[in-house]
Amino acid sequence: IAVPDLQKGEVIVCFCVLKPRIDASELLADELKEKVARELGKPLKPAAVKFVGDLPKTRNAKIMRRVIRAGYLGQEAGDLSALENPQTVDEIRRAV
């Protein structure tokens, strides 16, 4: 997601769901940031990588980025009636 930044205007924050038996760590987050920079270019290097158990999705399995962004920024998420897993909003807030 893109979030406001005082110096750059906006920066990227990535939310990742890990496979079973993979542990979240600062080293893994740094490796993911560097991989994005190598593969997509330095301007797209994430400012942060956050690990969560699941992402907020609709019943059609579409990821609701506006809900992730609102949770990250501590804003009201709005209408969550289409969410299949509303508990993920709290998990996003805790990951910050």
Side-chain angles (χ1 to χ4, degrees), residues 2-12 42-48:
V3 296
D5 182 74
L6 293 176
Q7 293 177 336
K8 296 182 179 181
E10 285 187 332
V11 294
I12 297 171
K42 287 186 180 182
L44 296 178
K45 180 179 179 181

Side-chain angles (χ1 to χ4, degrees), residues 3-5 9 13 15 17 26-27 34 39 41 52-53 55 58 63-64 73 79-80 82 88 91:
V3 296
D5 182 74
V13 176
F15 285 84
V17 178
E26 227 14 75
L27 178 61
E34 292 305 319
E39 300 287 327
V52 293
L55 297 171
T58 65
I63 296 172
M64 296 191 69
L73 296 174
D79 181 19
L80 301 178
T88 57
E91 188 175 355

Side-chain angles (χ1 to χ4, degrees), residues 13-29:
V13 176
C14 291
F15 285 84
C16 300
V17 178
L18 296 174
K19 291 182 178 183
R21 297 187 301 255
I22 303 292
D23 295 324
S25 69
E26 227 14 75
L27 178 61
L28 180 58

Side-chain angles (χ1 to χ4, degrees), residues 18-90:
L18 296 174
K19 291 182 178 183
R21 297 187 301 255
I22 303 292
D23 295 324
S25 69
E26 227 14 75
L27 178 61
L28 180 58
D30 291 340
E31 287 178 18
L32 290 171
K33 289 180 202 177
E34 292 305 319
K35 181 159 180 74
V36 170
R38 261 192 329 273
E39 300 287 327
L40 301 176
K42 287 186 180 182
L44 296 178
K45 180 179 179 181
V49 174
K50 305 292 183 180
F51 299 105
V52 293
D54 200 7
L55 297 171
K57 297 177 187 169
T58 65
R59 290 174 186 88
N60 295 330
K62 291 184 180 180
I63 296 172
M64 296 191 69
R65 294 184 301 271
R66 71 167 177 85
V67 173
I68 298 171
R69 187 171 196 270
Y72 181 83
L73 296 174
Q75 298 172 342
E76 180 60 38
D79 181 19
L80 301 178
S81 62
L83 276 184
E84 184 172 287
N85 49 359
Q87 73 281 1
T88 57
V89 178
D90 292 330

